[in-house]
Amino acid sequence: MTAGPGVAEAPEEAEAPEARLARAVRAAEQALIEFEIAVETFRVEVENFSRLHHQRLGPMYARLDELDALIAEARAAHTGDPEDLRLAREARALVMPMPGVDELFHDWIDSDGLSPEAAAMLNEQPVQAPRRVRPSDEARKLYRELVRKAHPDLAAEEAERKRREEFLTRVNAAYARGDEARLRQLSEEWEAGPAPAEPALGEAEELYARLEWLAQRKEMLTAVARELEDSAIGAMLRMAPDDPDRLLDEVAEQLLARTSEREAELASLTASPYPPQERE
């Protein structure tokens, strides 16, 4: 109701400094959670693309290294030149050595015995390539919702923080596998659990300390994100974020062309009619 003539309206009550600070802390917490989600999503994408890159292109790079070593050795055998011999030794040293026993059996044996890939190899059956792991849009949506709801930074007590940390460990594992069904189960589990407690606001000093911690956490995540972006795989992924398979196809074509050139060069060297020169 509007005050009558000559009656001064009561001034609006000023917001307390602690209330403004508390609001800033909540905003910083939410911003940090969103940033963590983005960094973790990119980390999973880099990890998956790295595995695919190694799986598909690793043998091609190994073949190129082997061809380079064979070419250098063939050239050294023809010339007998000390410099060619040195280059041949260096090229051979770059070729990946045979793995040890532990490396050979890495991921072959688990709690259930031989993995399907190992069993297929031992029985001379075709080995299925590892399943492509790329979280679906629904999996990404579920993951983001779960992290926003269950993030440990929203806990007021240590026991609740630990419960959230354990829960998010399972969420992260399911997301890394692209397991949409498991993420949906975890979402239902969270909704059925105890309601998340509202963060308790303390005195101004505590709020300032909280803001400082959030700033430090953001700096750490920024460093992690920069490291991922600056990595070779991260740079490749940024070149084709919506279609990384196309990028792999392009690199594979380039490697095949280089391999053909190396094989032709090696064939030319090994078919040369000139006998190796004797060293003086």
PDB file of all heavy atoms in Angstrom, residues 149 186-194:
ATOM      1  N   LYS A 149      24.259 -32.623  -8.022  1.00  0.00           N
ATOM      2  CA  LYS A 149      23.503 -32.949  -6.811  1.00  0.00           C
ATOM      3  C   LYS A 149      24.390 -33.503  -5.697  1.00  0.00           C
ATOM      4  O   LYS A 149      24.178 -33.197  -4.524  1.00  0.00           O
ATOM      5  CB  LYS A 149      22.419 -33.980  -7.142  1.00  0.00           C
ATOM      6  CG  LYS A 149      21.314 -33.476  -8.054  1.00  0.00           C
ATOM      7  CD  LYS A 149      20.355 -34.603  -8.384  1.00  0.00           C
ATOM      8  CE  LYS A 149      19.240 -34.137  -9.317  1.00  0.00           C
ATOM      9  NZ  LYS A 149      18.342 -35.266  -9.702  1.00  0.00           N
ATOM     10  N   LEU A 186      22.320 -45.225 -10.586  1.00  0.00           N
ATOM     11  CA  LEU A 186      22.924 -44.373  -9.564  1.00  0.00           C
ATOM     12  C   LEU A 186      22.077 -43.137  -9.304  1.00  0.00           C
ATOM     13  O   LEU A 186      21.991 -42.652  -8.173  1.00  0.00           O
ATOM     14  CB  LEU A 186      24.338 -43.969  -9.991  1.00  0.00           C
ATOM     15  CG  LEU A 186      25.376 -45.095  -9.965  1.00  0.00           C
ATOM     16  CD1 LEU A 186      26.642 -44.678 -10.689  1.00  0.00           C
ATOM     17  CD2 LEU A 186      25.685 -45.505  -8.527  1.00  0.00           C
ATOM     18  N   SER A 187      21.444 -42.628 -10.351  1.00  0.00           N
ATOM     19  CA  SER A 187      20.556 -41.477 -10.179  1.00  0.00           C
ATOM     20  C   SER A 187      19.381 -41.853  -9.281  1.00  0.00           C
ATOM     21  O   SER A 187      18.993 -41.088  -8.383  1.00  0.00           O
ATOM     22  CB  SER A 187      20.056 -40.994 -11.542  1.00  0.00           C
ATOM     23  OG  SER A 187      19.198 -39.885 -11.380  1.00  0.00           O
ATOM     24  N   GLU A 188      18.805 -43.032  -9.512  1.00  0.00           N
ATOM     25  CA  GLU A 188      17.700 -43.501  -8.676  1.00  0.00           C
ATOM     26  C   GLU A 188      18.165 -43.737  -7.239  1.00  0.00           C
ATOM     27  O   GLU A 188      17.442 -43.436  -6.283  1.00  0.00           O
ATOM     28  CB  GLU A 188      17.126 -44.786  -9.265  1.00  0.00           C
ATOM     29  CG  GLU A 188      16.452 -44.588 -10.624  1.00  0.00           C
ATOM     30  CD  GLU A 188      16.043 -45.898 -11.261  1.00  0.00           C
ATOM     31  OE1 GLU A 188      16.346 -46.962 -10.671  1.00  0.00           O
ATOM     32  OE2 GLU A 188      15.439 -45.877 -12.350  1.00  0.00           O
ATOM     33  N   GLU A 189      19.390 -44.265  -7.097  1.00  0.00           N
ATOM     34  CA  GLU A 189      19.934 -44.509  -5.761  1.00  0.00           C
ATOM     35  C   GLU A 189      20.094 -43.198  -4.993  1.00  0.00           C
ATOM     36  O   GLU A 189      19.770 -43.118  -3.808  1.00  0.00           O
ATOM     37  CB  GLU A 189      21.288 -45.215  -5.877  1.00  0.00           C
ATOM     38  CG  GLU A 189      21.989 -45.424  -4.542  1.00  0.00           C
ATOM     39  CD  GLU A 189      23.369 -46.017  -4.696  1.00  0.00           C
ATOM     40  OE1 GLU A 189      23.580 -46.802  -5.645  1.00  0.00           O
ATOM     41  OE2 GLU A 189      24.250 -45.699  -3.869  1.00  0.00           O
ATOM     42  N   TRP A 190      20.573 -42.169  -5.688  1.00  0.00           N
ATOM     43  CA  TRP A 190      20.761 -40.889  -5.013  1.00  0.00           C
ATOM     44  C   TRP A 190      19.426 -40.286  -4.588  1.00  0.00           C
ATOM     45  O   TRP A 190      19.295 -39.753  -3.477  1.00  0.00           O
ATOM     46  CB  TRP A 190      21.511 -39.926  -5.913  1.00  0.00           C
ATOM     47  CG  TRP A 190      21.729 -38.603  -5.245  1.00  0.00           C
ATOM     48  CD1 TRP A 190      21.024 -37.465  -5.415  1.00  0.00           C
ATOM     49  CD2 TRP A 190      22.707 -38.316  -4.248  1.00  0.00           C
ATOM     50  NE1 TRP A 190      21.487 -36.473  -4.608  1.00  0.00           N
ATOM     51  CE2 TRP A 190      22.523 -36.955  -3.871  1.00  0.00           C
ATOM     52  CE3 TRP A 190      23.715 -39.051  -3.641  1.00  0.00           C
ATOM     53  CZ2 TRP A 190      23.325 -36.351  -2.923  1.00  0.00           C
ATOM     54  CZ3 TRP A 190      24.512 -38.442  -2.685  1.00  0.00           C
ATOM     55  CH2 TRP A 190      24.323 -37.102  -2.333  1.00  0.00           C
ATOM     56  N   GLU A 191      18.434 -40.369  -5.465  1.00  0.00           N
ATOM     57  CA  GLU A 191      17.126 -39.805  -5.143  1.00  0.00           C
ATOM     58  C   GLU A 191      16.485 -40.528  -3.969  1.00  0.00           C
ATOM     59  O   GLU A 191      15.742 -39.932  -3.197  1.00  0.00           O
ATOM     60  CB  GLU A 191      16.214 -39.878  -6.373  1.00  0.00           C
ATOM     61  CG  GLU A 191      16.652 -38.998  -7.534  1.00  0.00           C
ATOM     62  CD  GLU A 191      16.723 -37.534  -7.157  1.00  0.00           C
ATOM     63  OE1 GLU A 191      15.949 -37.100  -6.284  1.00  0.00           O
ATOM     64  OE2 GLU A 191      17.570 -36.822  -7.727  1.00  0.00           O
ATOM     65  N   ALA A 192      16.790 -41.820  -3.826  1.00  0.00           N
ATOM     66  CA  ALA A 192      16.207 -42.591  -2.730  1.00  0.00           C
ATOM     67  C   ALA A 192      16.965 -42.415  -1.419  1.00  0.00           C
ATOM     68  O   ALA A 192      16.475 -42.797  -0.357  1.00  0.00           O
ATOM     69  CB  ALA A 192      16.172 -44.072  -3.097  1.00  0.00           C
ATOM     70  N   GLY A 193      18.156 -41.829  -1.487  1.00  0.00           N
ATOM     71  CA  GLY A 193      18.982 -41.686  -0.296  1.00  0.00           C
ATOM     72  C   GLY A 193      18.588 -40.489   0.528  1.00  0.00           C
ATOM     73  O   GLY A 193      17.585 -39.809   0.246  1.00  0.00           O
ATOM     74  N   PRO A 194      19.380 -40.192   1.548  1.00  0.00           N
ATOM     75  CA  PRO A 194      19.079 -39.031   2.401  1.00  0.00           C
ATOM     76  C   PRO A 194      19.193 -37.744   1.606  1.00  0.00           C
ATOM     77  O   PRO A 194      20.016 -37.612   0.710  1.00  0.00           O
ATOM     78  CB  PRO A 194      20.147 -39.112   3.504  1.00  0.00           C
ATOM     79  CG  PRO A 194      21.252 -39.916   2.901  1.00  0.00           C
ATOM     80  CD  PRO A 194      20.590 -40.893   1.979  1.00  0.00           C
TER      81      PRO A 194
END
